[in-house]
Every structure is written in structure tokens, then in C-alpha cells.
Amino acid sequence: MRQPEALRRLQEEVASLYLVHGTDAYQVAEFLAALRTRLVPPGTEAFNESLVEPGPDQVRQGVLLARTPPLLSDRRLVVLKECRLLGPGRAGGDAGPEDGEDRDRASGEAERLLEYLAAPAPFSCLVLHAPGDIDRRRRLTRSLLEKAVEVECSPLSQDQALSWLEAKSAALGKRLDREAAQALLEKIGTDLHALSAELEKLVLYVGAAERIDTRAVLALVPGTAQVQIFDLVDAVAEGRLGQAEALLQRMLASGEAPLRLLATLASHFRRLLEARSLRERGLSPAAIARQKGQHPRYWEKLDRQARRLRREQLQFALEVLLEADLQLKSGADGQLVLETLLFDLVGAA
């Protein structure tokens, strides 16, 4: 499940095993902090919380700690950070192991973890963390997915980031207007570290006021280079291949994550299909905006772009976006996948 849903479920129950993976470090840290709050009483961290760094005997250490009863607490929290047994192309498991001593050690570590999965300690919460993708072909990973709660911490789409912003602002005691949230996303993008920092500044800026409106966002939050992603989306949707390619190269060179770019493109094309469907039902952009509580200009642009495309073209675009997502998550070269995707999408547009 995605991290926001896993956070909500923590309020009801904490499992004995978690498999946390993905490239969004903020979501990983946020989930681990929530686990710590639920499980580790203040002042007992030295006894009941263990972060096991990567190393040749990481699993052995983690299992020993997980089998040690907690002190002054009902549960113990043990985190195996950046566990090397789970990622693609690493030692261990049954997919692409290395040779020699490393392979034997990794195999022993995997077997030790499989033994623990068969009978996890009821008084511990063991978290296995992989900083990127996981290799779902491996016996170890398959066993983990059967026994553990999977928490995916991949970059959020714009819609998901919008929901995250609304929940985060509520947790800070404020109501963030939908239009203000959209303006914040346009200025900052979907990076949760940056969004969290700007949201905290906005909370201080509005003081005792109950809500954060668009004027506060425009007054306080500067635009960033990440706004280029929206230029990329518009260039693709409007068939401007040359501009789209130039923007893509610039953003990849500056360190933008391919999965994040892909998620934003997929979200926009889903919205285009929605805009076309609503127009076919006779709804104007202004009526849609009123119904959704959003700014009319947003739906006017979507409507303009959607009118260029037939329903079949939009459905084809979503198919190639799904295929690109599968390729990226299978370890394909991000730049090559996205360059090919642009040609397909602009061809559809």
C-alpha cells in the first residue's frame, strides 16, 4: 500500500513486520517517526529502538534485537536500514547473486531472515527498508510480501500530493484552501520536504487565522525551477515535441527523478480524459471548477488540451504511460524510457 494509507492504518494497529521501500526519503522518515511515536515511550529509546546500519551481518544483528524482549514498553522497534538483500542486482536471494564469499554470506543472511519470518517475535516490530525498488522475483521478497505489510514510498502524483497537503495542514491546525494547495504545488512541485517546509512557514505567516488562502501562498512562497515540470506537461499535451525534449533533458540533468516526472505526466493525462468525459456529458469548464472547488482557469486549460485529442488517443497515452512505469520499476534506463515516452505521447497528441 502507499505510505499515506499505511500511516492511517497505524492509528488502528501496528504490525509485527513492515517492508518499506521507495525513493521518497521524506515518506520513509515520516513513517518511521510515526512508528516510533506509537511504539517507543519517551525516555526508553535506548532500550527499545534500534537502527541497524547496512553491513555483512545486518540481518543477524536485527533478528537478535527483534528477539530481545523490550524494557519498560510493550513493543520494541527494530529497523534494518537499506537492507541489501531486497534491491535488484544485489547479493542474496535467487536473482543475480554475486560470486564467492559475498554470495554465501548473503545466502546465509537470507535464510536467517526467512527463519524469523516463519515465527516473528510478538513483542517486536521489525522494519526492513529498501531505498529504491525491490526485486519481487526473489524467494525472500515473496515471503516478505506474504508476511509483512508493504509500505511504498514512491513520489506522489499531483492529486496525491494535494491530499497530503490538506491532511498535513489539518494536522498543523489549519485549513488549506484547495486553490491555495494547487498554487503551492505549482510553485514547489510534489517534493514533500519542500512542501512541508513551506507549509510550516505559511502556518506561522497566517498566525491565528484558521485558513491558509491563495493570497498567503502567493505572498510568501517563491516559485522554483520545479515549475518546469508543468511546462513539460503542457508541451507534451499540446504536441510541442522539441520543447518537451529540451525541458526533459534540463530536468533530468538537474536531478529530477524519472518516476516523479512520469507520475506527473500520468496524472495530467488522466485529468485530460476526465475533462473530455465531463465535456461529453455537457459540463463546461466553469461548471466543473465549481463542482470540484477549483480555479476555472485550471479546467479551461484542461478542456482546451483535451479538445485536441480523441478518447482513443487519451486511452493510448495512458497505456504507454503504464508501460513506461513498469519499465522504470523493472530497472530500465530512466532517460531512454522517458525519451521514448515523449515520442509516443506527442504522437498520440
Side-chain angles (χ1 to χ4, degrees), residues 21 23 47 89 112 115 151 189 311 338-339:
H21 65 91
T23 58
F47 309 118
R112 183 176 284 110
E115 289 176 9
V151 182
R311 176 177 290 274
L338 289 179
E339 287 175 348

Side-chain angles (χ1 to χ4, degrees), residues 98-303:
E98 297 175 355
D99 292 330
E101 184 179 350
D102 285 343
R103 175 177 177 175
D104 293 340
R105 183 185 295 114
S107 178
E109 288 278 273
E111 290 302 323
R112 183 176 284 110
L113 184 54
L114 286 168
E115 289 176 9
Y116 182 83
L117 294 180
F123 47 74
S124 289
C125 174
L126 178 62
V127 180
L128 290 102
H129 165 242
D133 294 332
I134 55 175
D135 191 338
R136 296 175 184 271
R137 300 169 298 172
R138 295 185 177 180
R139 180 166 64 102
L140 175 59
T141 309
R142 293 197 302 269
S143 297
L144 267 171
L145 292 171
E146 291 175 1
K147 301 284 187 176
V149 175
E150 180 184 8
V151 182
E152 182 184 350
C153 298
S154 56
L156 300 184
S157 68
Q158 288 190 59
D159 286 344
Q160 291 165 338
L162 194 63
S163 298
W164 182 90
L165 273 173
E166 292 171 345
K168 185 73 172 179
S169 59
L172 293 171
K174 302 294 182 184
R175 178 169 61 84
L176 182 65
D177 290 352
R178 177 60 65 94
E179 187 175 339
Q182 290 172 336
L184 190 55
L185 285 174
E186 287 178 4
K187 284 176 169 287
I188 301 298
T190 59
D191 181 87
L192 297 188
H193 276 291
L195 286 174
S196 180
E198 295 302 331
L199 192 56
E200 290 174 4
K201 293 177 189 176
L202 285 164
V203 168
L204 294 174
Y205 178 79
V206 301
E210 294 181 356
R211 56 189 283 264
I212 301 171
D213 60 16
T214 308
R215 287 178 297 177
V217 173
L218 296 178
L220 189 67
V221 182
T224 72
Q226 293 181 21
V227 76
Q228 291 177 347
I229 194 169
F230 298 103
D231 295 331
L232 171 67
V233 166
D234 288 342
V236 171
E238 294 167 13
R240 293 181 269 117
L241 180 59
Q243 183 181 2
E245 287 181 310
L247 285 165
L248 174 66
Q249 297 301 329
R250 193 182 311 158
M251 283 185 285
L252 289 175
S254 67
E256 285 287 356
L259 272 172
R260 182 182 163 220
L261 295 175
L262 179 63
T264 304
L265 284 165
S267 175
H268 191 73
F269 272 85
R270 286 195 295 270
R271 282 295 180 90
L272 288 176
L273 183 58
E274 181 184 12
R276 182 166 188 85
S277 298
L278 292 172
R279 166 169 278 277
E280 290 170 353
R281 287 167 46 191
L283 291 176
S284 67
I288 299 169
R290 283 195 302 272
Q291 185 181 91
K292 293 181 173 290
Q294 296 173 333
H295 199 286
R297 286 199 300 270
Y298 175 67
W299 284 95
E300 287 167 3
K301 182 174 73 172
L302 283 174
D303 181 70

